[in-house]
Structure formats: C-alpha cells, structure tokens
Amino acid sequence: MKRKLTLKLIAKELGVSISTVSKALRDSPEISEETREKIKAYAKLYNYKPNNIALSLKNRRTNTIGVIIPQIVHHFFTTVISGIEQEARDRNYNVIICLSNNGFDKEVENMELLANGSTDGFILSISKETMLKEDYHHLNEVIEQGMPVVMFDRVVEGISCDRVLIDDKAGAKKGVSHMIRTGCRKIGIITSEDYISVGRLRTEGYLDALDDYGIAANDNLILKLDNIDDLTEESKKRIEDFVTKNDLDGIFTVNEFFAVHATRVLTKLGKRIPEDVSIVCFTDGQLSENMIPSLTAVSQHGEEMGRKAASILIEKLEREDSETAPYDTAYIDTSLVERESTRKLNR
Amino acid sequence: MKRKLTLKLIAKELGVSISTVSKALRDSPEISEETREKIKAYAKLYNYKPNNIALSLKNRRTNTIGVIIPQIVHHFFTTVISGIEQEARDRNYNVIICLSNNGFDKEVENMELLANGSTDGFILSISKETMLKEDYHHLNEVIEQGMPVVMFDRVVEGISCDRVLIDDKAGAKKGVSHMIRTGCRKIGIITSEDYISVGRLRTEGYLDALDDYGIAANDNLILKLDNIDDLTEESKKRIEDFVTKNDLDGIFTVNEFFAVHATRVLTKLGKRIPEDVSIVCFTDGQLSENMIPSLTAVSQHGEEMGRKAASILIEKLEREDSETAPYDTAYIDTSLVERESTRKLNR
DNA sequence: TTGTAGGCGTTATCAA
DNA sequence: TTGATAACGCCTACAA
C-alpha cells in the first residue's frame, strides 16, 4: 500500500523544497521552465492530487453544500437532490446529504455536524417535527455564523434565508380547475393538516378553484390527514370512509399515495375512472405514471427546484459583500400532466 | 455575523494558552479544576465545537464514508442509502453521496474527488457503463492507496474488496417456484441482458426453478432487455409483443417497471390477474405495493444491505492490521411478499 | 499546572 | 529562481 502522494514527498524525491513544488504545479512563472516541467512530469506520473481537506482548512471554505432532508426514500426529494447534484457539479461544488428522518433532534444534530467545517452552506427541507415544535435555533445559529441557508419545499417564516417553493397553491388550483372544466362538480380533497405548509397551501388552491367557478365549498368534502409522506393504516381507513360516504365525481389529493388508495377504494366500489370519478393528485412520480389507470398529476419539477436552490446558494457563497443581498423566495412552476384518470377536455 | 469560535479565540479571551484550552476541553487531569471549569463554561456558553476539517487533517481520517451509486431517483438505492446512513450514524461516521448517473467518467471523477482526503473508504454500486467497459483502474487506485472499498448489488470480480450481494439467484428462484407451486406451467421472464450481473443471476434463478420442477426451459419465453433501471419506449414495445405473442400463465420480471407494463398489457388483453396470469417481480417497492392488483414481489431488504455494507466498511477502517483480513462476500436474504398478483397456495 | 513547539498538507509572503 | 516561514485549527509530546 503506497501512501498518498503529497507535496512534501515530491519535494523530497526531487530534492527541491515544498514551496517550489507547489509553485511549479500551479504554473508559477517564478519557477524555471526546467524545474517546472520536471516536477509536473513527476506529479503526473504518480498521479498527484492535492488534498481537499488541507485546502479546505487553508482556504476556510470547503466548496461543499450540505443538504438536509426529511427522508430519502421519497421520489420527490430524490429528484430535488438530483437537481442539486447537477448544479453543484456544474459549478464545482460537492454535496453532502444528511437525513433528519422527520425528527427534530436529528435535524439539529446534522446541522451542527455539517456546520463544523464540513460545508459552506445549507439547503434544507424542514422536518415535520421541527415544524410542530417551531424551534429554529439551529437554523439561526448557522446563519449567525455566516453560513447561508436555502430552504425548499417545507419552509417556515421568520428565518433569514432564501427560499425555493413549489407554487403549491397555484398547482392545486390548476389540478382542481382541470377537473371542473372536464365536468366534475362534486370534488373532494384528501389533504394534510394545516400545520404542514404544503398541505395547507394545496387546500387553499383547491378552495380557490372552487370559488373561481362558483362552486360552494363543503367541509365534508375535505379530508385532512396527519401525514403527507406516507400512508398509515389509520389514513387508509379514513380514506375508505371518505370515499365511500361521499358520492364524489372528482377527487384531488395532495400526494400520490392518497390518490392510489382512493383509486383502490373506488375500484372496489365498482366506480369507473374517469367516467364516474376523476382523480388528480399532486406530485408526478412513479405511481402516477404507472398506475392503471395512470393518474393525471400536478408535476413539481423537483430537479428544477434542486438546481434553483443550489444556484441561489452558490451565488450567495460566491458573493463577497455578504450582507447586502436581500432574502428572496423563488417559485417553481408546476405543470399538469394529463393522463387516464381525468376526462378529455372538449375544445 | 460572528466568526466561528476556535481554541485560539477562547485562549485569547481567557488569557491562557491554546493547549491549555484544548486539554481542559478534553478533561485532561493536567489542568487544574478551576481553569478547566472556567474554560468549559466559556466553551459551553459560546457553543464551541471543534472544526471537523482541522481534525480530519490532523488525524488523517475523516470519519466519512463515500457512497457512489448509479442514480438516486431509484427506490432500491434510496433504501440502501437509508441503511448506510443509519449504521454510519450509530457508529459515528458521516456519509457523502455522489451519483455516477450510470456513466464511467462521472464514476471515476467522483472517486478521485472523494479520495482526495474527503473520505476514508467507499461503498459503491458500479455503473452500467463501467461494467461494459470493464475498466476498474479507479477502484484499484483507491484500494492501492489504502482506502477500503465495499461493493454492493452491482459488483464485479477481480477487485480487492468486500462485497454485499442480494442473493439474486435464490430470490428469483423463490419467486418462480412460488408461481409453479400455485399452478403456473408456462412462465415467461422479462429480464436484462447478461452483462448486467443482477439480471443474469435472476435469469439463472428462473431457470433453476423450472429445472427443479422438471419444466423445460424455452428461449422464446425469455425476454432480455438492455436496461434494468427504467422503462424505455423500445422496452415497452418489446414487452407488449412478448406478452401478446406468448400465451403465458405466469410472468416473472427482474424489476417493478417490467411487471407494471406487463400488467398493463395483460389488462388490455382482457386477462385476469391472477386467475389467468400470475405476476411476480423482483424488487419490493412502491409500485408493487400500490398497484391494482398489488404485485407479489421478491423483497431485497435494501436497508439491511446498506447497514451491512457500512458495517463491513467501518470494521475494515477500524482494524489496525489492515492487510490481514481477507475479502469476503456477504449475502442478504430475500423474502417473498405475497400480494394480489399470485394465487393463494393450497396448504 | 501551564505553555511551547511541531506537524497534518497546502498556499502566500518574504528572504536569499 | 528557489527556499524558509507562517498560517488555517487542532492535538500532543515535552519543556518550563
């Protein structure tokens, strides 16, 4: 096993000083053509690469972005990460990903860990528990220390940071409006409790759409579940009840899982989709695409969101006059992907 | 914006030397009770945390595991990462994830990047292109430099590293045997070309199962597609042909996508599942669970695989006598998750 | 009990 | 043209 090559080793081997090697490798004109070539040849031959850790220490910057997300076994988040990765790579940054598992303590722990020299800034989507607790000291601390933060998707107010958001409200409105235009009149929504920001906003979009078309909202047609990331047994039951009791002709859901389960219940009830009931869900993922029938979905463009978040963060990192730039919220547009679960629009 | 606290700053503030501070914070008995308390109180008050970068440089170890995977928008890989994360956290390691996007160049680039001081070892699943190229110099290089490597799922021979594998062959055999036991006799397989190791092994398992039950294999019932990670239009067509032309009573597929598309084609043909045709797929993900009908699947236990890979790597990292331990392959068991797409077994 | 010095790998400044 | 020195933040052997 050969030890990793360092400037020191090269210097010793070639009988010159460390600084000569350093300069030669950076093409400094201070060094004679001859020595330079000799050193560069040697370095190339033995595949010298500067040690990132040493560089980070020296430069007081790591060129690394820390990403903290609630969970990784989640299609939307993976698309965002993929976008972050792309942008970071294009601009010569690394990415470290940590998971909070939707827990407050892990989120804090992760931030502290990464903040101790491992990253220059953060991109994060806040955990459910943190939202409930409303304790954001960990965010404020890293910001206080001069590390910029960009929040995406699940954000909170009152933090000095940039934000990238899906336009959840407009997206939901788009989906529900489409159902109305294709003839649905009694549309239910399966959403989350209001403390989950994306759920609340999507509910608002739903209400907006009804209002626009002069359809009265009805609280009985709104089902609020207490999670938005998965489908618990409890949620399944409530969806079954909801779908069975209300004779809906359209169902809008804030995620794919709820839509899939509603589909299942409808199928069991002998309802045809989309002839009897239309379905539209938020999040255009694998399930929407592959279900039979495939589901019309509001696509979130996660990759674009990731790229945007990374781009904003890097911009901040590379701006010298740190204090001046104001904080800002970028919106990522959604688009409606029409599939088999809604009727065709007559044009 | 306050600068991050360092030993130096604390020392200056309290009028002692840096080493006194360092020792006090590490509870050295060398330092007087009084000074120790004073320093610790100050550090706690201002929330001092040692700088990871400096520690890494000093200790020549980063306590960080580098993970390189072909893609992240992929359910199985996310479960593995989740497992790696858990194990790493339990044992006080960090995780850096990089994506190769199934490309050789990116894989090499990523390894070189992380190898320059950022990580102590690697966990990786090799990219498709690398497998085709059969160029593993980047792996050999980092191993040569003393960084242990653990390969998982998509592995190759002839590299000095540990491996963690799904027992693909046994898993496929399990799935196909189940179909046979529940009455299927004309079972087709939708798999990948042989150069993708997991595809090849699963095909072998399929053949094994047929053989065990004395059913003659038939090349016409084996469809080999050239990808295993997604569903191209080309693949869709070939699946349509395959399913339509052969009057199968069972279909085994090496991933969820192929199964879902086969289901779609069967539904269109008016076949009932599982009464007319049974379906079993490899990979127990969201699709298998949520499809209507839900799919019987061979579950890969990705989290367990991740934990195992991380655990093996960390063991290697913490063993001083590096050379002695032999390389070894661990197998993660699969299990069959019975759902609606297969008939019940009469017991 | 406390402090000094050297080193991890690199770069920048200044001296030779 | 080359080299010695200091610094990034931390730790530790050794000296005071």
Side-chain angles (χ1 to χ4, degrees), chain A residues 308-346:
Chain A
K308 184 70 183 179
S311 146
I312 292 177
L313 183 66
I314 294 172
E315 222 93 295
K316 275 269 152 66
L317 289 172
E318 301 195 336
R319 181 191 302 263
E320 293 303 323
D321 44 307
S322 47
E323 304 299 345
T324 56
Y327 298 111
D328 184 269
T329 302
Y331 282 92
I332 304 294
D333 257 354
T334 55
S335 56
L336 191 73
V337 181
E338 288 184 52
R339 297 211 179 84
E340 299 165 351
S341 68
T342 47
R343 294 190 283 268
K344 293 279 164 283
L345 199 56
N346 291 326

CSV table of all heavy atoms in Angstrom, one decimal, chain A residues 308-346:
chain,number,residue,atom,x,y,z
A,308,LYS,N,-32.3,25.2,-8.8
A,308,LYS,CA,-32.5,26.6,-8.4
A,308,LYS,C,-32.0,26.8,-7.0
A,308,LYS,O,-31.3,27.8,-6.8
A,308,LYS,CB,-34.0,26.8,-8.5
A,308,LYS,CG,-34.4,28.3,-8.2
A,308,LYS,CD,-34.0,29.2,-9.3
A,308,LYS,CE,-34.3,30.7,-8.9
A,308,LYS,NZ,-33.9,31.6,-10.0
A,309,ALA,N,-32.3,25.9,-6.1
A,309,ALA,CA,-31.8,26.0,-4.8
A,309,ALA,C,-30.3,26.1,-4.7
A,309,ALA,O,-29.7,27.0,-4.1
A,309,ALA,CB,-32.4,24.9,-3.9
A,310,ALA,N,-29.7,25.2,-5.4
A,310,ALA,CA,-28.2,25.1,-5.4
A,310,ALA,C,-27.7,26.4,-6.0
A,310,ALA,O,-26.7,27.0,-5.5
A,310,ALA,CB,-27.7,23.9,-6.2
A,311,SER,N,-28.3,26.8,-7.1
A,311,SER,CA,-27.8,28.0,-7.8
A,311,SER,C,-27.9,29.2,-6.9
A,311,SER,O,-26.9,30.0,-6.8
A,311,SER,CB,-28.6,28.2,-9.1
A,311,SER,OG,-28.8,29.5,-9.4
A,312,ILE,N,-29.0,29.4,-6.2
A,312,ILE,CA,-29.1,30.5,-5.3
A,312,ILE,C,-28.1,30.4,-4.2
A,312,ILE,O,-27.4,31.4,-3.8
A,312,ILE,CB,-30.5,30.5,-4.6
A,312,ILE,CG1,-31.6,30.8,-5.7
A,312,ILE,CG2,-30.6,31.5,-3.5
A,312,ILE,CD1,-33.0,30.8,-5.1
A,313,LEU,N,-27.9,29.3,-3.6
A,313,LEU,CA,-26.9,29.1,-2.5
A,313,LEU,C,-25.5,29.5,-3.0
A,313,LEU,O,-24.7,30.2,-2.4
A,313,LEU,CB,-26.9,27.7,-2.0
A,313,LEU,CG,-26.0,27.5,-0.8
A,313,LEU,CD1,-26.5,28.3,0.4
A,313,LEU,CD2,-25.9,26.0,-0.4
A,314,ILE,N,-25.1,28.9,-4.1
A,314,ILE,CA,-23.8,29.1,-4.7
A,314,ILE,C,-23.6,30.6,-5.0
A,314,ILE,O,-22.5,31.2,-4.7
A,314,ILE,CB,-23.5,28.3,-5.9
A,314,ILE,CG1,-23.5,26.8,-5.5
A,314,ILE,CG2,-22.2,28.6,-6.6
A,314,ILE,CD1,-23.5,25.8,-6.6
A,315,GLU,N,-24.6,31.2,-5.5
A,315,GLU,CA,-24.5,32.7,-5.7
A,315,GLU,C,-24.1,33.4,-4.4
A,315,GLU,O,-23.2,34.2,-4.4
A,315,GLU,CB,-25.9,33.2,-6.2
A,315,GLU,CG,-25.7,34.2,-7.4
A,315,GLU,CD,-25.8,33.5,-8.7
A,315,GLU,OE1,-24.9,32.6,-9.1
A,315,GLU,OE2,-26.8,33.7,-9.4
A,316,LYS,N,-24.9,33.1,-3.4
A,316,LYS,CA,-24.6,33.7,-2.1
A,316,LYS,C,-23.2,33.4,-1.6
A,316,LYS,O,-22.5,34.3,-1.1
A,316,LYS,CB,-25.6,33.1,-1.0
A,316,LYS,CG,-26.9,33.8,-1.0
A,316,LYS,CD,-26.9,35.0,0.0
A,316,LYS,CE,-27.9,36.1,-0.4
A,316,LYS,NZ,-29.3,35.6,-0.4
A,317,LEU,N,-22.8,32.2,-1.8
A,317,LEU,CA,-21.4,31.8,-1.3
A,317,LEU,C,-20.3,32.6,-2.0
A,317,LEU,O,-19.3,32.9,-1.5
A,317,LEU,CB,-21.2,30.3,-1.5
A,317,LEU,CG,-22.0,29.4,-0.6
A,317,LEU,CD1,-21.9,28.0,-1.0
A,317,LEU,CD2,-21.6,29.6,0.9
A,318,GLU,N,-20.6,32.9,-3.3
A,318,GLU,CA,-19.5,33.5,-4.1
A,318,GLU,C,-19.6,35.0,-4.1
A,318,GLU,O,-18.7,35.6,-4.7
A,318,GLU,CB,-19.5,32.9,-5.5
A,318,GLU,CG,-19.4,31.4,-5.4
A,318,GLU,CD,-19.0,30.7,-6.7
A,318,GLU,OE1,-19.3,31.3,-7.7
A,318,GLU,OE2,-18.4,29.6,-6.6
A,319,ARG,N,-20.6,35.5,-3.5
A,319,ARG,CA,-20.7,37.0,-3.4
A,319,ARG,C,-19.9,37.4,-2.2
A,319,ARG,O,-20.0,36.9,-1.1
A,319,ARG,CB,-22.2,37.3,-3.2
A,319,ARG,CG,-22.5,38.8,-3.1
A,319,ARG,CD,-23.9,38.9,-2.7
A,319,ARG,NE,-24.8,38.3,-3.6
A,319,ARG,CZ,-25.4,38.9,-4.6
A,319,ARG,NH1,-25.3,40.2,-4.7
A,319,ARG,NH2,-26.2,38.2,-5.4
A,320,GLU,N,-19.0,38.3,-2.4
A,320,GLU,CA,-18.1,38.8,-1.3
A,320,GLU,C,-18.9,39.6,-0.2
A,320,GLU,O,-18.9,39.3,0.9
A,320,GLU,CB,-17.0,39.6,-1.8
A,320,GLU,CG,-16.0,38.8,-2.6
A,320,GLU,CD,-15.4,37.6,-1.8
A,320,GLU,OE1,-15.2,37.7,-0.6
A,320,GLU,OE2,-15.2,36.5,-2.5
A,321,ASP,N,-19.6,40.6,-0.7
A,321,ASP,CA,-20.3,41.5,0.1
A,321,ASP,C,-21.6,40.8,0.7
A,321,ASP,O,-22.7,41.1,0.3
A,321,ASP,CB,-20.7,42.8,-0.7
A,321,ASP,CG,-21.3,42.4,-2.0
A,321,ASP,OD1,-20.6,41.7,-2.8
A,321,ASP,OD2,-22.4,42.8,-2.4
A,322,SER,N,-21.3,39.9,1.6
A,322,SER,CA,-22.4,39.0,2.0
A,322,SER,C,-23.7,39.7,2.5
A,322,SER,O,-24.8,39.3,2.2
A,322,SER,CB,-21.8,38.2,3.2
A,322,SER,OG,-21.2,39.0,4.1
A,323,GLU,N,-23.5,40.8,3.3
A,323,GLU,CA,-24.7,41.3,3.9
A,323,GLU,C,-25.7,42.0,3.0
A,323,GLU,O,-26.9,42.0,3.3
A,323,GLU,CB,-24.2,42.4,4.9
A,323,GLU,CG,-23.2,41.9,6.0
A,323,GLU,CD,-23.8,40.8,6.9
A,323,GLU,OE1,-25.0,40.6,6.8
A,323,GLU,OE2,-23.0,40.1,7.5
A,324,THR,N,-25.2,42.4,1.9
A,324,THR,CA,-26.1,43.3,1.0
A,324,THR,C,-27.3,42.6,0.4
A,324,THR,O,-28.4,43.2,0.4
A,324,THR,CB,-25.3,43.9,-0.1
A,324,THR,OG1,-24.7,42.9,-0.8
A,324,THR,CG2,-24.2,44.8,0.5
A,325,ALA,N,-27.1,41.4,-0.1
A,325,ALA,CA,-28.2,40.8,-0.9
A,325,ALA,C,-29.5,40.5,0.0
A,325,ALA,O,-29.3,39.9,1.1
A,325,ALA,CB,-27.8,39.5,-1.5
A,326,PRO,N,-30.6,40.9,-0.4
A,326,PRO,CA,-31.8,40.6,0.4
A,326,PRO,C,-32.3,39.2,0.2
A,326,PRO,O,-31.9,38.5,-0.7
A,326,PRO,CB,-32.8,41.6,-0.3
A,326,PRO,CG,-32.4,41.7,-1.7
A,326,PRO,CD,-30.9,41.6,-1.7
A,327,TYR,N,-33.0,38.7,1.1
A,327,TYR,CA,-33.5,37.3,1.0
A,327,TYR,C,-34.8,37.3,0.2
A,327,TYR,O,-35.5,38.3,0.1
A,327,TYR,CB,-33.9,36.8,2.4
A,327,TYR,CG,-32.6,36.7,3.2
A,327,TYR,CD1,-32.5,37.6,4.3
A,327,TYR,CD2,-31.6,35.9,2.9
A,327,TYR,CE1,-31.3,37.5,5.1
A,327,TYR,CE2,-30.4,35.8,3.6
A,327,TYR,CZ,-30.3,36.7,4.7
A,327,TYR,OH,-29.1,36.6,5.4
A,328,ASP,N,-35.0,36.2,-0.4
A,328,ASP,CA,-35.8,36.2,-1.6
A,328,ASP,C,-36.5,34.8,-1.7
A,328,ASP,O,-35.9,33.8,-1.3
A,328,ASP,CB,-34.9,36.5,-2.7
A,328,ASP,CG,-35.5,36.7,-4.0
A,328,ASP,OD1,-35.6,35.7,-4.7
A,328,ASP,OD2,-35.9,37.8,-4.3
A,329,THR,N,-37.7,34.8,-2.3
A,329,THR,CA,-38.3,33.5,-2.5
A,329,THR,C,-38.6,33.2,-4.0
A,329,THR,O,-39.2,34.1,-4.6
A,329,THR,CB,-39.7,33.5,-1.8
A,329,THR,OG1,-39.5,33.7,-0.4
A,329,THR,CG2,-40.4,32.2,-1.9
A,330,ALA,N,-38.1,32.1,-4.4
A,330,ALA,CA,-38.3,31.8,-5.8
A,330,ALA,C,-39.4,30.7,-5.9
A,330,ALA,O,-39.5,29.9,-5.1
A,330,ALA,CB,-37.0,31.2,-6.4
A,331,TYR,N,-40.2,30.9,-6.9
A,331,TYR,CA,-41.2,29.9,-7.1
A,331,TYR,C,-41.0,29.0,-8.4
A,331,TYR,O,-40.6,29.5,-9.4
A,331,TYR,CB,-42.6,30.6,-7.3
A,331,TYR,CG,-43.2,31.0,-6.0
A,331,TYR,CD1,-42.9,32.3,-5.5
A,331,TYR,CD2,-43.9,30.1,-5.2
A,331,TYR,CE1,-43.4,32.7,-4.2
A,331,TYR,CE2,-44.4,30.5,-3.9
A,331,TYR,CZ,-44.1,31.8,-3.5
A,331,TYR,OH,-44.6,32.2,-2.3
A,332,ILE,N,-41.2,27.8,-8.2
A,332,ILE,CA,-41.0,26.8,-9.3
A,332,ILE,C,-42.4,26.5,-9.8
A,332,ILE,O,-43.3,26.1,-9.1
A,332,ILE,CB,-40.3,25.5,-8.9
A,332,ILE,CG1,-39.0,25.8,-8.2
A,332,ILE,CG2,-40.1,24.6,-10.0
A,332,ILE,CD1,-37.9,26.4,-9.1
A,333,ASP,N,-42.6,26.7,-11.1
A,333,ASP,CA,-43.9,26.4,-11.7
A,333,ASP,C,-44.2,24.9,-11.7
A,333,ASP,O,-43.4,24.1,-11.8
A,333,ASP,CB,-44.0,26.9,-13.1
A,333,ASP,CG,-44.7,28.3,-13.1
A,333,ASP,OD1,-45.3,28.7,-12.1
A,333,ASP,OD2,-44.8,28.9,-14.2
A,334,THR,N,-45.5,24.7,-11.6
A,334,THR,CA,-46.0,23.3,-11.7
A,334,THR,C,-46.6,23.2,-13.1
A,334,THR,O,-46.9,24.1,-13.8
A,334,THR,CB,-47.1,23.0,-10.7
A,334,THR,OG1,-48.1,24.0,-10.9
A,334,THR,CG2,-46.6,23.1,-9.3
A,335,SER,N,-46.8,21.9,-13.5
A,335,SER,CA,-47.5,21.8,-14.8
A,335,SER,C,-48.4,20.6,-14.6
A,335,SER,O,-48.1,19.7,-13.8
A,335,SER,CB,-46.5,21.6,-15.9
A,335,SER,OG,-45.7,20.5,-15.7
A,336,LEU,N,-49.5,20.6,-15.3
A,336,LEU,CA,-50.4,19.5,-15.2
A,336,LEU,C,-50.1,18.4,-16.2
A,336,LEU,O,-50.0,18.7,-17.4
A,336,LEU,CB,-51.9,20.0,-15.4
A,336,LEU,CG,-53.0,19.0,-15.1
A,336,LEU,CD1,-53.1,18.9,-13.6
A,336,LEU,CD2,-54.3,19.5,-15.6
A,337,VAL,N,-49.9,17.2,-15.8
A,337,VAL,CA,-49.7,16.1,-16.7
A,337,VAL,C,-51.0,15.3,-16.8
A,337,VAL,O,-51.4,14.6,-15.9
A,337,VAL,CB,-48.5,15.2,-16.2
A,337,VAL,CG1,-48.3,14.1,-17.2
A,337,VAL,CG2,-47.3,16.0,-15.9
A,338,GLU,N,-51.6,15.4,-18.0
A,338,GLU,CA,-52.9,14.8,-18.2
A,338,GLU,C,-52.7,13.3,-18.5
A,338,GLU,O,-51.9,12.9,-19.4
A,338,GLU,CB,-53.7,15.4,-19.3
A,338,GLU,CG,-54.2,16.8,-18.9
A,338,GLU,CD,-55.1,17.3,-20.0
A,338,GLU,OE1,-56.0,16.6,-20.4
A,338,GLU,OE2,-54.8,18.5,-20.4
A,339,ARG,N,-53.4,12.4,-17.8
A,339,ARG,CA,-53.3,11.0,-18.0
A,339,ARG,C,-54.7,10.4,-18.1
A,339,ARG,O,-55.7,11.1,-18.4
A,339,ARG,CB,-52.4,10.3,-17.0
A,339,ARG,CG,-51.0,10.8,-17.0
A,339,ARG,CD,-50.0,9.7,-16.6
A,339,ARG,NE,-48.6,10.2,-16.6
A,339,ARG,CZ,-48.0,10.9,-15.6
A,339,ARG,NH1,-48.7,11.1,-14.5
A,339,ARG,NH2,-46.8,11.2,-15.7
A,340,GLU,N,-54.8,9.2,-17.7
A,340,GLU,CA,-56.0,8.4,-17.9
A,340,GLU,C,-57.1,8.7,-16.8
A,340,GLU,O,-58.3,8.4,-17.0
A,340,GLU,CB,-55.8,6.9,-17.9
A,340,GLU,CG,-54.9,6.5,-19.1
A,340,GLU,CD,-54.3,5.1,-19.0
A,340,GLU,OE1,-54.5,4.5,-17.9
A,340,GLU,OE2,-53.7,4.6,-19.9
A,341,SER,N,-56.7,9.3,-15.7
A,341,SER,CA,-57.7,9.4,-14.6
A,341,SER,C,-58.6,10.6,-14.7
A,341,SER,O,-59.4,10.9,-13.8
A,341,SER,CB,-57.0,9.4,-13.3
A,341,SER,OG,-56.2,10.6,-13.1
A,342,THR,N,-58.4,11.4,-15.8
A,342,THR,CA,-59.4,12.5,-16.0
A,342,THR,C,-59.9,12.4,-17.4
A,342,THR,O,-59.3,11.9,-18.3
A,342,THR,CB,-58.7,13.9,-15.8
A,342,THR,OG1,-57.4,13.9,-16.5
A,342,THR,CG2,-58.4,14.2,-14.3
A,343,ARG,N,-61.1,13.0,-17.6
A,343,ARG,CA,-61.7,13.0,-18.9
A,343,ARG,C,-61.0,14.1,-19.8
A,343,ARG,O,-60.4,15.0,-19.3
A,343,ARG,CB,-63.2,13.4,-18.8
A,343,ARG,CG,-64.0,12.3,-18.0
A,343,ARG,CD,-65.5,12.6,-18.1
A,343,ARG,NE,-65.9,13.6,-17.2
A,343,ARG,CZ,-66.3,13.4,-16.0
A,343,ARG,NH1,-66.4,12.2,-15.5
A,343,ARG,NH2,-66.7,14.5,-15.2
A,344,LYS,N,-61.1,13.8,-21.1
A,344,LYS,CA,-60.5,14.8,-22.0
A,344,LYS,C,-61.3,16.1,-22.1
A,344,LYS,O,-62.6,16.0,-21.9
A,344,LYS,CB,-60.5,14.2,-23.4
A,344,LYS,CG,-59.6,13.0,-23.5
A,344,LYS,CD,-58.1,13.4,-23.7
A,344,LYS,CE,-57.2,12.3,-23.4
A,344,LYS,NZ,-57.0,12.0,-22.0
A,345,LEU,N,-60.6,17.1,-22.3
A,345,LEU,CA,-61.3,18.4,-22.4
A,345,LEU,C,-61.9,18.6,-23.8
A,345,LEU,O,-61.2,18.3,-24.7
A,345,LEU,CB,-60.3,19.5,-22.1
A,345,LEU,CG,-60.8,20.9,-21.7
A,345,LEU,CD1,-61.7,20.8,-20.5
A,345,LEU,CD2,-59.6,21.8,-21.4
A,346,ASN,N,-63.1,19.0,-23.9
A,346,ASN,CA,-63.7,19.3,-25.2
A,346,ASN,C,-63.2,20.7,-25.6
A,346,ASN,O,-63.4,21.6,-24.9
A,346,ASN,CB,-65.2,19.3,-25.2
A,346,ASN,CG,-65.7,17.9,-25.0
A,346,ASN,OD1,-65.1,16.9,-25.5
A,346,ASN,ND2,-66.9,17.8,-24.3
